Amino acid sequence: MKKCILGLLVFMGILLFAGCGEKEGASAGSGSSSGASGSSASSGTASSGESSSAQATTESNLTSDKITLKVWESSGASADFVKQAGEAFTAKYPNITIEYENVELSDSSAQIPLDGPAGVGPDVFATPSNTIGVLVAGGHILPVGNSADVVGQVAQSCEDAVIYNEKIYGYPISAETYALYYNKDLIPEPPTTWEEVEAFCQEFNEPGTYGMIFNVGAAYYSPVFTGKNGNRLFGQYGTDTSSTFMNNADAVEGMTYFQSFRQYLDVPATDIANDAVCLAAFTEGKAAMYITGPWNIANCRDAEVNFGVTTLPALPGDNQPATSFSGARTMQVSAYSDYPAEAHAFAKFLISEEMQQLRFDITGEIPSVGIEVSNEYITGFQKQLEFAYPMPSIVEMDGWWGPMDSACANIWDGADVQAELDAVNSTVLQ
Amino acid sequence: MLGKLQRDGSSQKQVLLVSILFMGLGHIIYFKDYVKGLLFMVVEVAGIACIPLFFGKVYNLITLGSPQPDLPIKLRANSMFMLVDGILTLGVAALFITMYIISIKGALQEYQDYCTHGEVKRTTAKTLISEKAFPIAGLTPALVLLLFFVLVPLIFSACVAFTNYSAPSHIPPNNTVDWVGFDNFKDMFGGNAAWSSAFGRVAIWTLVWAVLATATCYIGGMIMAVVLHESKIRIKPLFRGIFILPYAVPAVVSMLVWKNLLNGSFGIVNRTLMEIGFIDGPIPWLSDLWLARVVCVLVNLWAGFPYFMLLIMGNLTAISSDVYEAAKIDGASKFFTFRKITAPLVLFQTMPLIIMSFTHNINNFGAIYFLTGGFPKVSDSTVTSAGGTDILVTWIYNLTMTLNKYHYASVLAVVIFVVMAPFAILTFKNTKSYKEGEV
């Protein structure tokens, strides 16, 4: 009996120790291997993608195999464009077919890190230019092999929007910014300076009716006032994280003017920190001018407003239109694509003049290349784009919107300009 | 082997020791209870096999990964995955330890049986199915799911309060997250002027809001119910139907409509008042801090009273008319009957629902977020993103969705939980209807 128990005890002991020994070896390895094992495969594809992207530039060496490229775009008019452009591309290269898949513009940058490594991702996908920084940091997109494919081909603002770390990422297929809408029935000649805006407001304003309206609680519109003397958010290239450049003398001067403009638009921030309210005021004729983007063209046209679009008024002391944020809808080539050369060729095809004309006809959005469009609203935006600067795409940008929204609202309601902008600066950069 | 055990209980230590040594060993060598013993042994072997994994995960949980700036982002350690994995692993370990204790207790129980009866009931496949084990086996999956889908997320979000998971420099996978102990709590409770003053302001307003919102809705509902019940209105169903309408419309929609109606400069309320010459200038319904708070309570009353009205109308019909008749004969006035009969009886029955409504209002995201959106902003909003009418839960939303300060948001969530959970349970247990078990 005793022997039996003893034997069992020894056996147990051995088992336990064996377990421990194994633990030592494996746990040391498991810490690093768990992180690496999942991604080693994907890193393989990424690096192979990168190497082949070098030769992806010239169209002569496109494959002659029968292949399919998957493209992510939003639904609606944007999807129609991709489908029609795909057919045109297939007509040019009969062995390449384009497959459209619906992933919304705003979702694609979050979707690619999951679908790309899993092998179900797209070859080309649409994303706003301000996501480029995050996508590059994650290694999800490939730079444009031959920068001449984009540089000089597209509008300056679009070109700026896709430059990141001195490389070009993606092909801008449409530009976006905001400009001055004016109701031609109320103000036949749009003002070119804020002084003229003030003068008009003085005559026009009545209780409940205002010469000028815009969303005063949105950081998105703050460059109109903070952009004096070429002052830009996060510095000239939007990548300087030593400061937001939003609490320097230029920005403070501009935002002080913004605060003083309250006398011509005497509405608490709460009441107009809302784009829907501003739009309603403009379409109802309660406001003669409105600062907003091309997405409201259709709304204003549907409301049968007789309106025009022009550049923003110049700030006091400036002689050129105020600046604005510009962005671009870009087509990126996925780092997980098996056919990067062909993907680049298709994305490049989308910014050819012919395709840009097609896109404008379908979507009515601002073309990224300098084609003549027969739409007076779009020409207004195109002019404003010359004075716009691209929204920074660095990671810190995410933390800027919220504090700056609050600061704009507080400044509008009378808070100390310098203190508010300092608070934004320290909150964003802490 | 069985013979070696003394029936006077003196071998208890021996059984205990062998059971501790290896799960199920006691069952097998002393009681020849092979089915049970082997099952336990399988668990132990599986447990031992998982030890390396276990220590790896727990090590990760403790360190939450170290910065690896040279690696490409997708290869870097993700602190949040480590946190979740670590908590899951601890959960599994806790289950394992529970099994161990069960096995030891089981062995001791069998020894006890042996001492009293001189033999043990061995587990066979038949007894396993027909007796105690079956309900346990049947309930285990549900219990395990409950553990992992309710408890683990809760613990995870509470753990975040003790880390520095926040933008811009501690967001995985770009950077790692570290444990910071009680630093976030210190910041919130006095360490950081802007944050602690915002916390005090928002916490007080949250409580005031919850009390007022609940009280107004309840009293409003009761008045409407009693008036509808007592009065001699002819078409009661019609009125009842009209009063229920605010409750029938989705609250989000009505809040957004109210937001537009009450817009100080462009809203139809002010425009109409000004048109008929009732007021000279616009009333700042939503842009004046105190008026905005009052408006929140009033609009919530509009949207919330029908619920209590319906509820109390149901209760009123349950009160026997004899009581009223007796009171009438005794010469009690209508108001006196209400005060002495209706109100106490209704209150008695609806107390648990009042408490539920109070806890609901503390977390009433929609009523604030869609009506005011936290506006008007106050001086510390730029740093903390908490507006003048924000309550804790809408502030949590701002912190996570716009500022990405998950650590502070998590502190707020922990505070809400710590304050709310015991309060709700205690008050609920103290209500008469809970104590008496039936109403």
Side-chain angles (χ1 to χ4, degrees):
Chain A
M1 285 303 161
K2 210 167 199 175
K3 251 188 196 165
C4 210
I5 295 178
L6 208 75
L8 261 171
L9 276 179
V10 171
F11 174 67
M12 303 283 82
I14 290 170
L15 251 186
L16 264 176
F17 281 109
C20 288
E22 194 185 347
K23 168 206 94 193
E24 294 300 331
S27 72
S30 74
S32 53
S33 70
S34 65
S37 62
S39 2
S40 59
S42 55
S43 80
T45 53
S47 58
S48 73
E50 215 129 354
S51 60
S52 47
S53 78
Q55 39 180 289
T57 49
T58 47
E59 287 176 29
S60 53
N61 55 7
L62 291 186
T63 179
S64 53
D65 299 340
K66 217 163 169 51
I67 62 166
T68 301
L69 296 177
K70 195 197 274 186
V71 181
W72 281 357
E73 245 291 15
S74 298
S75 54
S78 304
D80 294 342
F81 166 66
V82 167
K83 285 172 193 162
Q84 293 189 23
E87 281 161 21
F89 192 71
T90 309
K92 215 170 153 196
Y93 301 99
N95 60 322
I96 304 175
T97 42
I98 304 295
E99 181 197 345
Y100 165 78
E101 191 172 281
N102 174 235
V103 173
E104 291 297 312
L105 182 75
S106 52
D107 299 335
S108 58
S109 59
Q111 196 72 32
I112 188 78
L114 303 173
D115 284 10
V120 294
D123 298 280
V124 178
F125 64 98
T127 186
S129 59
N130 55 321
T131 62
I132 289 176
V134 176
L135 290 171
V136 170
H140 305 303
I141 54 176
L142 298 177
V144 174
N146 182 359
S147 56
D149 286 348
V150 175
V151 176
Q153 303 294 314
V154 298
Q156 187 63 40
S157 74
C158 290
E159 197 179 303
D160 292 344
V162 294
I163 296 180
Y164 188 80
N165 282 347
E166 295 167 8
K167 277 188 187 163
I168 294 192
Y169 289 91
Y171 301 79
I173 55 168
S174 170
E176 200 158 82
T177 190
Y178 40 87
L180 184 70
Y181 283 50
Y182 60 101
N183 188 328
K184 286 178 177 169
D185 295 337
L186 302 175
I187 175 167
E189 268 305 300
T192 55
T193 66
W194 279 92
E195 283 97 336
E196 287 174 39
V197 175
E198 288 177 14
F200 173 77
C201 287
Q202 227 146 18
E203 260 177 58
F204 181 80
N205 277 6
E206 277 171 44
T209 314
Y210 304 94
M212 163 71 104
I213 201 168
F214 57 100
N215 183 345
V216 299
Y220 184 58
Y221 299 104
S222 65
V224 177
F225 300 97
T226 57
K228 265 182 103 76
N229 300 325
N231 186 39
R232 289 181 172 192
L233 180 60
F234 295 116
Q236 185 64 29
Y237 304 105
T239 52
D240 187 348
T241 52
S242 63
S243 165
T244 56
F245 293 84
M246 285 294 110
N247 60 341
N248 57 20
D250 289 325
V252 171
E253 190 188 336
M255 289 308 279
T256 310
Y257 177 72
F258 163 78
Q259 190 172 44
S260 73
F261 191 76
R262 168 82 186 254
Q263 57 186 306
Y264 302 103
L265 177 56
D266 193 12
V267 175
T270 308
D271 290 344
I272 49 169
N274 182 332
D275 286 304
V277 170
C278 295
L279 176 66
F282 182 71
T283 52
E284 287 167 18
K286 300 272 174 198
M289 289 175 279
Y290 176 28
I291 297 175
T292 189
W295 53 88
N296 271 330
I297 292 177
N299 291 329
C300 292
R301 215 165 27 196
D302 293 348
E304 288 170 2
V305 182
N306 177 20
F307 71 105
V309 177
T310 185
T311 51
L312 294 168
L315 283 174
D318 269 4
N319 49 16
Q320 63 170 31
T323 183
S324 58
F325 269 150
S326 70
R329 178 188 280 256
T330 67
M331 276 293 177
Q332 301 290 348
V333 174
S334 162
Y336 310 102
S337 170
D338 291 332
Y339 309 105
E342 291 72 21
H344 274 289
F346 177 65
K348 187 187 162 196
F349 179 67
L350 295 180
I351 59 168
S352 63
E353 291 198 357
E354 184 194 350
M355 284 302 114
Q356 282 290 302
Q357 185 64 51
L358 175 69
R359 187 165 203 285
F360 173 73
D361 293 341
I362 295 175
T363 64
E365 289 172 18
I366 312 172
S368 61
V369 301
I371 51 171
E372 286 293 323
V373 291
S374 54
N375 181 321
E376 51 167 332
Y377 310 128
I378 294 300
T379 44
F381 284 109
Q382 280 179 326
K383 258 187 248 160
Q384 175 60 33
L385 274 173
E386 293 168 24
F387 307 98
Y389 68 89
M391 248 184 281
S393 57
I394 54 174
V395 183
E396 280 78 2
M397 192 62 186
D398 272 353
W400 178 76
W401 298 107
M404 193 63 181
D405 282 349
S406 298
C408 288
N410 275 341
I411 290 172
W412 185 255
D413 285 341
D416 182 63
V417 179
Q418 183 77 52
E420 287 290 327
L421 295 177
D422 285 345
V424 173
N425 196 54
S426 57
T427 307
V428 174
L429 299 174
Q430 67 181 206
Chain B
M1 261 182 265
L2 199 57
K4 269 199 61 113
L5 289 178
Q6 305 300 317
R7 281 196 63 181
D8 55 9
S10 60
S11 302
Q12 186 167 7
K13 227 174 204 170
Q14 203 181 340
V15 174
L16 184 67
L17 209 71
V18 173
S19 299
I20 289 176
L21 193 65
F22 203 91
M23 209 192 266
L25 191 60
H27 289 94
I28 289 179
I29 60 174
Y30 290 126
F31 312 116
K32 303 258 190 290
D33 198 350
Y34 294 115
V35 176
K36 212 189 240 179
L38 277 175
L39 282 178
F40 278 129
M41 280 192 158
V42 168
V43 172
E44 168 115 21
V45 168
I48 289 173
C50 288
I51 280 180
L53 189 72
F54 171 79
F55 278 93
K57 294 286 185 196
V58 171
Y59 176 77
N60 283 343
L61 176 64
I62 293 166
T63 60
L64 290 183
S66 45
Q68 298 156 302
D70 305 329
L71 282 179
I73 286 196
K74 45 193 172 169
L75 302 183
R76 290 183 200 167
N78 189 320
S79 304
M80 282 305 117
F81 294 167
M82 289 182 172
L83 186 55
V84 175
D85 284 356
I87 293 167
L88 280 172
T89 313
L90 288 183
V92 172
L95 278 181
F96 180 74
I97 291 169
T98 319
M99 283 294 284
Y100 220 122
I101 293 171
I102 289 175
S103 86
I104 294 167
K105 278 196 167 166
L108 291 178
Q109 181 62 45
E110 288 196 355
Y111 177 61
Q112 213 95 80
D113 286 353
Y114 171 68
C115 290
T116 39
H117 306 300
E119 55 170 4
V120 290
K121 257 199 281 173
R122 296 206 181 96
T123 318
T124 60
K126 198 179 149 204
T127 53
L128 199 65
I129 293 170
S130 62
E131 283 173 27
K132 225 161 93 187
F134 181 68
I136 291 175
L139 285 175
T140 307
L143 190 74
V144 170
L145 286 180
L146 195 73
L147 266 180
F148 287 107
F149 288 101
V150 177
L151 222 52
V152 168
L154 276 180
I155 294 172
F156 170 75
S157 52
C159 283
V160 171
F162 301 94
T163 67
N164 56 5
Y165 183 20
S166 62
S169 39
H170 296 284
I171 295 286
N174 237 348
N175 313 92
T176 54
V177 169
D178 297 307
W179 295 106
V180 294
F182 282 90
D183 284 6
N184 303 323
F185 288 87
K186 280 184 205 148
D187 279 353
M188 275 288 175
F189 301 119
N192 184 316
W195 286 95
S196 35
S197 78
F199 174 74
R201 173 171 63 76
V202 175
I204 291 171
W205 163 236
T206 306
L207 280 180
V208 172
W209 149 260
V211 170
L212 286 181
T214 312
T216 49
C217 284
Y218 188 78
I219 294 171
M222 184 181 273
I223 292 174
M224 297 313 291
V226 170
V227 166
L228 270 182
H229 192 249
E230 302 279 316
S231 68
K232 298 184 178 68
I233 308 171
R234 288 238 169 156
I235 25 176
K236 271 183 200 168
L238 177 71
F239 281 93
R240 203 161 45 204
I242 292 172
F243 290 140
I244 290 167
L245 280 181
Y247 188 59
V249 181
V252 175
V253 177
S254 40
M255 290 300 159
L256 287 173
V257 169
W258 275 110
K259 183 196 182 109
N260 281 331
L261 290 181
L262 291 173
N263 187 305
S265 314
F266 303 97
I268 203 159
V269 173
N270 270 352
R271 267 203 238 168
T272 311
L273 289 177
M274 271 155 51
E275 205 68 36
I276 58 175
F278 210 70
I279 50 172
D280 290 331
I283 298 174
W285 295 113
L286 297 173
S287 47
D288 177 81
L289 181 56
W290 286 101
L291 195 53
R293 288 174 173 172
V294 172
V295 166
C296 283
V297 173
L298 288 181
V299 171
N300 183 68
L301 166 65
W302 176 86
F305 87 86
Y307 170 70
F308 278 114
M309 184 187 81
L310 280 180
L311 203 81
I312 292 168
M313 278 197 320
N315 284 329
L316 286 179
T317 51
I319 299 174
S320 157
S321 56
D322 304 353
V323 194
Y324 287 113
E325 220 167 275
K328 210 173 178 184
I329 291 167
D330 287 345
S333 71
K334 272 256 150 114
F335 179 71
F336 198 76
T337 6
F338 171 77
R339 201 160 67 94
K340 289 288 175 190
I341 299 173
T342 315
L345 279 175
V346 168
L347 211 62
F348 168 77
Q349 294 182 53
T350 50
M351 203 36 133
L353 290 157
I354 295 178
I355 294 161
M356 271 172 61
S357 167
F358 177 75
T359 49
H360 167 75
N361 275 323
I362 286 223
N363 289 324
N364 198 339
F365 180 82
I368 301 292
Y369 187 77
F370 295 109
L371 182 60
T372 69
F375 274 96
K377 300 285 185 189
V378 294
S379 60
D380 60 45
S381 301
T382 309
V383 177
T384 63
S385 83
T389 52
D390 266 325
I391 55 176
L392 286 170
V393 66
T394 56
W395 191 19
I396 291 177
Y397 177 85
N398 286 344
L399 285 176
T400 51
M401 300 308 289
T402 65
L403 278 191
N404 292 349
K405 298 213 176 293
Y406 301 98
H407 58 335
Y408 285 150
S410 188
V411 167
L412 295 182
V414 169
V415 167
I416 293 183
F417 179 78
V418 166
V419 172
M420 291 302 302
F423 171 78
I425 292 169
L426 271 181
T427 345
F428 190 67
K429 276 191 165 175
N430 277 333
T431 51
K432 277 189 191 163
S433 41
Y434 179 86
K435 276 182 184 163
E436 292 176 10
E438 54 182 5
V439 182

